[in-house]
Amino acid sequence: MTDIAPLRTGDPARLGAYELLGRVGEGGQGSVFLGVSPSGERVAVKLLRPDRGGAAGTGTAATRFQREIEILRRVAPFCTAQVVETGLFGTRPYIVSEYVEGPTLQQVVESAGPLRDARLRRLAVGTMTALSAIHRAGVVHRDFKPSNVLLSRDGPRVIDFGIAREVDALATGSGVVGTPPYMAPEQFEAASVGPPADLFAWGSTMVFAATGKPPFGMDSMPAIVNRILHREPDLGDLGGDLRDLVVECLSKDPARRPAAKDALLRLLGARGRQPDGELLTAGTAVAAGASGAALESASRTGSEVLIETPGIAPRTRETAVVTPRPGEAVPAPGGPENQPAWRRRVTALLTGVAATVVLVSGGMVYALVQGGSPGTAKVSASPTPTVVREAVDAPATRTERVRLPELKTTLHEAPGDPVRVTSFIHLTGSVSYSYARDPKSGKFESIGPYHEPAVSPDGAWTAVLPWIKMNIPGPHDSIRLIERATGREFVVRTVAKPLANYNPFWSSDGKRILLTTYKDSSADQIVGFVVVDVATARATAVTTDTLMPGTSPFMWAPGESTVAVRFPDGSGVGLRLFDLGGKTVRTIPAVGEPSSRENTFSPAGKRFVTMCPDKVATVCVWDTRTARRQAAFPAPAAATLVGWYNDAHVMLIDRTKDPRRVVVVNLKGEVVRVLAEIPADEFDGTGESFIPRFTKD
């Protein structure tokens, strides 16, 4: 039975004539509610998010939502959860449709184990019948997977048309959409994605139903994609003619996969092709063990599908869908199969190896950005030293609670804070979702999966750096820049592949971005850095005179005419500084691990902070000019160094309590402020859930 969660604060109690009883699920477009009509009939109500659609009928999400309604109406009524009505809640569109009771295939297999014999056969027939009808309506689903198959009493139903597309609208390079373990090779290669992609996903879903795991694994994203592109599927003990059909559906070549209607005939024991109007007969449907709904539709039209868009599976997320924008990278192989580069970098964020300005807590990434008033940044091509005011004010004590999208983590913010969370990455398994904060509204907006966002200090720009490199179109790595005031976007090429860039750091004036260059996407050997000039949209790649092992990123050094990076030597861990031509200008040995979340140098540049090299759970503060230790204070036994709050306070993650706490401490180690509370289940210390980035105001 489908789980129904209570309504949340802010949820409407009614939509039109329908009373809302609870939440069925939530996805990238919006929320799905269980409702009841005036006559007492249960319905599903899908409501678009308030911050996605803008005015009624405007915005990308609203356009997709409207297209979903049109697709639902296009597919024959007996194939879908029938649309009852549509309407507006203020400016937010909603769909009221038939409510379909039942768990998803994903839930059934995970709780009760794989399907066998007649149950598996009925599933295969029912879902292939669904795909036949979808394709006959001129639609490609593009995200067929176990969590989008509902096992209702009258047979399996395919749900979630939020990213479906018309067959005649397909185009090369139109964007990668899908859920990685069930995506076809052409979806990773910027090729035309048509009905054969649904057949590939169907084959993968049948393997999951029969064995409990998809045929190309469920570990890291690059490893999964590499297997899909280059390896043979693992079909386990799937046997008989179903195995033969699945093998054909999982062909790397779309042209070698059968059409849905032909595959359905084979499942029903037929040989050869028949006209569209004679795909099934009542007799063949009964012989195949088809559901009652399949039998009814077969006798009526010859092809049957049961589709229900609003009935998203409980607590599943549409954010598992990979939807890069034009110019974005798409998921691709890269790095060791057991630990992809992006995952290793996230792990580094959580374990103290230097990484970009981020706080890591249970699967999210907070980004601290230097703030200011929103607007268009004026950028010059040449760097100039930045004059900063040394801020030593004590943190505010009166704060406002801020909740993050789809998480239980709570931020505690005050108007006078010198830093605040401006972006974060939410990691779930091998999938990541990125959010950036709108400088005007303060709301967090999704910017697509598998990317590392960084908001400029003045809030004028968001830099979006792909984590997974191989399938970025063309021979170069790249970074995407979004102007927040206008929505204007452009892509800047950085380095030639296989070189790869990670870890964006904005300069304090918002004019340049510093990226670390690795020899390849495994990110285990630094070869230099890149400086991106926003005004000219040009990147300058620099090779350093010394190779730097490990994954620690370059950061801006005080004055921003030099850059610094962590380096290990015989005397321990230190810092090495380079000029913008890549020449070593200074080495500071044996100071311990620097800040792993943001710049290790204080805002005024007079100090830098590390975990002490000679004492466990102790923070050291050093004089930048002399490299002499100025202070040392104890940290919690399980603590992560984040960076500077202002010139007299640093930020730590205290992992000794539940919830985990991001705290501000003075240079005596006294906690003077809590910045965030992160439940333990959203912070597991391995990079599996939440990584925030802070920006200076």
Side-chain angles (χ1 to χ4, degrees), residues 109 182 204 207-218 234 236:
V109 172
Y182 302 94
S204 296
V207 174
F208 172 84
T211 68
K213 59 183 181 180
F216 299 99
M218 275 293 291
D234 179 2

Side-chain angles (χ1 to χ4, degrees), residues 176-199:
V176 174
V177 179
T179 302
Y182 302 94
M183 289 168 65
E186 61 267 26
Q187 290 177 277
F188 296 105
E189 297 177 332
S192 295
V193 177
D198 285 346
L199 272 293

